[in-house]
């Protein structure tokens, strides 16, 4: 017996599309397009756009700043707050973060190899290009690195997985900023991201899963080694310049 076809309201689809953009393109504090612009781009009624925005506002994803304008909220969900309190950037809890990432992102890469669209591939490739340009700037590099990993998860089409990535996004970016300070690590990550993208683009499920897990394991190992050798004892200190050469 067939399952009944799920009916989706237009405003739910709008909210879902905006959430995907927030995950891959927009950052906390960025301004969303106006209701008029969204109505034109989605080709729907203004009431549907307004309801979709209200839905995201009620979930804490966006917040109003007056005159009908919304910006991406700093903390996107209560789960984000809970994880931020639970985890910190000490060595023990970094292990838990990377264990979670291997479980979540390894399978996300595998699913992305099957489900990704051409637009997903473009988003991932753009993030990699921004990582390359940001090899000499920690903040630029880390933000682009996060966008790549969120884009891989978004390509699965699994909304729960994408919400989980949103929940750890801020923590993940802090961890990646730390990784940037390890000599040569940023360049190694850049190359591994290219390999992950190649596997996803080729539709190779096992290769995508393995390359993602290999990447995450390598990054975690380098963090632990750096902490033990006190190379990152002062996380707030400016990182050394990275030129992308091994």
């Amino acid at each position: 017996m067939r399952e009944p076809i799920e009916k989706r309201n237009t405003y739910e689809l709008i909210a879902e599309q905006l959430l995907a953009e927030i995950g891959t393109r927009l950052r906390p504090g960025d301004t969303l397009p106006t209701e008029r612009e969204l109505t034109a781009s989605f080709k729907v009624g203004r009431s549907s756009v307004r309801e979709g925005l209200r839905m995201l506002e009620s979930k804490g994803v966006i917040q109003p700043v007056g005159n009908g304008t919304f910006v991406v909220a700093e903390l996107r969900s209560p789960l984000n707050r809970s994880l931020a309190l639970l985890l910190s950037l000490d060595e023990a809890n970094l292990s838990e973060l990377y264990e979670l990432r291997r479980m979540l992102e390894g399978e996300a890469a595998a699913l992305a190899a099957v489900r990704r669209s051409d637009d997903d591939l473009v988003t991932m490739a753009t993030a990699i290009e921004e990582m390359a340009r940001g090899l000499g700037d920690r903040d630029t590099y880390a933000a682009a690195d996060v966008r790549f990993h969120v884009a891989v998860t978004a390509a699965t089409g699994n909304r729960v997985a994408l919400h989980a990535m949103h929940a750890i996004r801020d923590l993940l970016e802090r961890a990646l900023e730390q990784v940037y300070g390890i000599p040569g690590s940023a360049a190694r990550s850049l190359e591994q991201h290219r390999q992950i993208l190649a596997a996803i683009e080729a539709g190779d499920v096992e290769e995508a899963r393995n390359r993602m897990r290999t990447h995450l394991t390598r990054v975690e190992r380098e963090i632990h080694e750096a902490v033990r050798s006190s190379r990152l004892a002062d996380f707030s200190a400016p990182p050394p310049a990275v030129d992308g050469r091994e």
Side-chain angles (χ1 to χ4, degrees):
M1 183 176 180
R2 293 188 178 92
E3 294 292 329
I5 296 174
E6 178 187 11
K7 285 188 174 182
R8 305 288 303 282
N9 291 315
T10 301
Y11 75 85
E12 291 178 313
L13 297 174
I14 292 171
E16 185 175 310
Q17 179 64 36
L18 289 175
L19 183 62
E21 290 188 23
I22 290 169
T24 58
R25 185 172 62 84
L26 298 175
R27 302 288 297 142
D30 285 352
T31 303
L32 268 67
T34 64
E35 283 187 11
R36 185 185 298 275
E37 290 169 337
L38 291 172
T39 297
S41 62
F42 286 126
K43 295 181 173 57
V44 297
R46 198 158 184 173
S47 61
S48 295
V49 169
R50 188 173 294 118
E51 190 61 31
L53 291 171
R54 286 173 181 166
M55 182 177 177
L56 292 180
E57 182 185 4
S58 69
K59 294 179 181 296
V61 178
I62 61 175
Q63 60 188 34
V65 292
N67 299 320
T69 302
F70 288 90
V71 298
V72 179
E74 288 296 327
L75 291 173
R76 285 169 287 279
S77 72
L79 179 57
N80 192 330
R81 296 184 181 92
S82 298
L83 286 172
L85 290 171
L86 175 65
L87 298 172
S88 62
L89 286 179
D90 61 41
E91 191 175 2
N93 286 336
L94 269 172
S95 294
E96 294 184 0
L97 173 63
Y98 274 87
E99 186 174 67
L100 172 63
R101 291 189 66 192
R102 282 191 294 274
M103 290 187 290
L104 174 62
E105 296 188 58
E107 292 309 306
L111 280 176
V114 177
R115 299 176 179 176
R116 89 293 185 277
S117 66
D118 289 342
D119 286 344
D120 292 324
L121 294 175
V122 169
T123 301
M124 294 177 214
T126 299
I128 290 175
E129 291 171 3
E130 292 173 358
M131 287 174 65
R133 289 196 294 270
L135 279 172
D137 180 82
R138 184 184 71 177
D139 292 342
T140 299
Y141 179 91
D145 197 340
V146 172
R147 281 196 294 276
F148 174 83
H149 286 279
V150 173
V152 171
T153 306
T156 68
N158 186 308
R159 291 172 292 169
V160 176
L162 185 56
H163 277 292
M165 283 298 291
H166 283 314
I168 66 171
R169 182 170 182 160
D170 291 338
L171 186 67
L172 174 57
E173 188 159 341
R174 288 175 59 207
L176 291 174
E177 287 172 353
Q178 189 180 42
V179 172
Y180 181 90
I182 301 173
S185 186
R188 287 189 286 276
S189 288
L190 178 61
E191 179 56 31
Q192 287 186 323
H193 280 65
R194 288 172 175 150
Q195 294 172 0
I196 293 166
L197 174 58
I200 291 174
E201 187 171 13
D204 191 327
V205 172
E206 286 302 319
E207 190 70 7
R209 178 188 289 115
N210 291 337
R211 287 184 177 183
M212 178 63 81
R213 288 179 174 171
T214 297
H215 164 61
L216 295 174
T217 299
R218 194 266 309 163
V219 171
E220 182 187 8
R221 182 182 66 251
E222 289 188 353
I223 291 176
H224 288 314
E225 290 173 352
V227 170
R228 292 190 187 103
S229 64
S230 300
R231 283 183 288 178
L232 295 179
D234 184 5
F235 173 53
S236 62
V242 177
D243 62 9
R245 294 188 295 271
E246 290 293 279

